[in-house]
Amino acid sequence: MQRSVIFELIRYCLVLIALFFAMIPVFWMISMAFKPIAEWTASGADLTWWPKAPTLDNFRFIFGQNTNALIVELERTAGRAILASLLSSVIGTLIAMVVGTSAAYGLSRYNYGKNLPLALIQLRLFPPLAVMIPVMIMWTFLNLVDTWWGLSLIYGIVTLPFSFWLMKTYFDEMPKEIEEAALVEGCSRFRVFTRITLPMMAGPLASSALLVFILNWSDYLIALMLTTREWVTIPVYMASLSSSMTGQLYGAKAALGLIAAIPPVIFGIAIQKHLVRGLTFGALKQ
C-alpha cells in the first residue's frame, strides 16, 4: 500500500515537472506581450521574467495606435488579419466537416467508393510546396488569390482527409443496429442520418472539428502563398512585424500571439463536454 502511494506521488511530481516546462513558452509569451519596448529589447542581466512596468502599448500598436516608445509605421493593422483568419478557418472547417462526414458515413455504411480513402489520403502524401504550385496557378486563373473565399476553399480541401478519416473511424465503431431499428420503423435514410446518427456523433464531431479548426487557424504556408495584402492571416501578418530600427517586434508578436490563442481556447471550452466523449469514443468497445 505504501509503495503504491509513493509511486503515485512520483507520477504526479513527474507530471507537474513536465507541465512546468511545457508552460514556460506560454508564460514567456504572456510576459512579453505586456512588456514595454525597453524591456523586450533588453539582454543579459537586464532581461526579466515579468514586466517591471506592464503596459498595453503592444496591443495598441498592432491595432494601429502608435506610441511614443515605438514609432513604426504599419502597412495594415492586425484587425484585418484576425478577420481573415476567422473567416477562412471557420468556413474551411465547415467545408471539411460537412464533406468529410458525409463521405465517411457513406463509405462506412454502404461500402461505396472503396478507393476513396486512398484518394483522399493522397492529398497529404505530397510535399506541401509541390501541391501549392499548381494550386497557385489554378487560383490565379480563377481570381481566388488574396480572397477569403479562395483561402476558405483550399483550407476545406486540405483538411478534408483529416475529417474523413476521423469520422470514418467513429462511424465504423457505432453499432448499425440502432439505425436498422429506425429504418424498420419507417424512417428514411436521410432522417436516420440527421435525427439519430449525427446527434449520437456529437462528441466525435466536436473533437474532429476542433482539430481541423486548429490546423486551419495555425496555417502559414498556404496563406503565405495565396494571400498578398488584403486577406493576410494572423501567422503571415505576425511574420511581417519587424522594424529596421528595433529588428523583430517581439512585444507586438507576443501580443498578437496571445490574441490568436483565444479562439481555439474558447472553442475547446465550448465543446468541452462533447470533447471528452469524442476522444474516448469506442475506447471500451469489445
Side-chain angles (χ1 to χ4, degrees), residues 62-63 76-86 146 148 229-234 237:
I62 60 176
F63 287 106
R76 52 192 178 273
T77 63
R80 185 77 174 208
I82 295 173
L83 177 62
S85 288
L86 282 173
D146 205 21
W148 62 267
R229 179 179 176 85
E230 294 298 323
W231 292 100
V232 168
T233 58
I234 290 176
Y237 179 83

Side-chain angles (χ1 to χ4, degrees), residues 15-62:
V15 170
L16 289 175
I17 292 172
L19 182 63
F20 171 78
F21 284 105
M23 291 301 294
I24 288 178
V26 178
F27 172 79
W28 188 253
M29 180 181 68
I30 297 173
S31 174
M32 188 72 71
F34 294 97
K35 285 182 179 181
I37 183 173
E39 294 188 29
W40 54 259
T41 55
S43 60
D46 297 328
L47 192 63
T48 58
W49 280 94
W50 193 250
K52 298 177 182 178
T55 179
L56 295 176
D57 285 349
N58 295 316
F59 295 92
R60 298 190 186 101
F61 170 72
I62 60 176

Side-chain angles (χ1 to χ4, degrees), residues 117-178:
L118 181 61
L120 285 176
I121 203 65
Q122 285 178 349
L123 291 172
R124 306 298 303 182
L125 292 179
F126 296 99
L129 282 176
V131 175
M132 287 309 301
I133 292 174
V135 169
M136 286 182 62
I137 297 173
M138 289 189 292
W139 257 234
T140 302
F141 178 77
L142 297 172
N143 293 322
L144 294 177
V145 174
D146 205 21
T147 60
W148 62 267
W149 55 89
L151 199 57
S152 302
L153 181 59
I154 192 63
Y155 278 169
I157 294 172
V158 169
T159 54
L160 175 59
F162 291 101
S163 64
F164 170 80
W165 278 99
L166 286 171
M167 292 309 301
K168 184 181 182 302
T169 302
Y170 292 131
F171 283 131
D172 289 342
E173 293 177 350
M174 179 180 174
K176 297 180 181 180
E177 290 77 11
I178 300 175

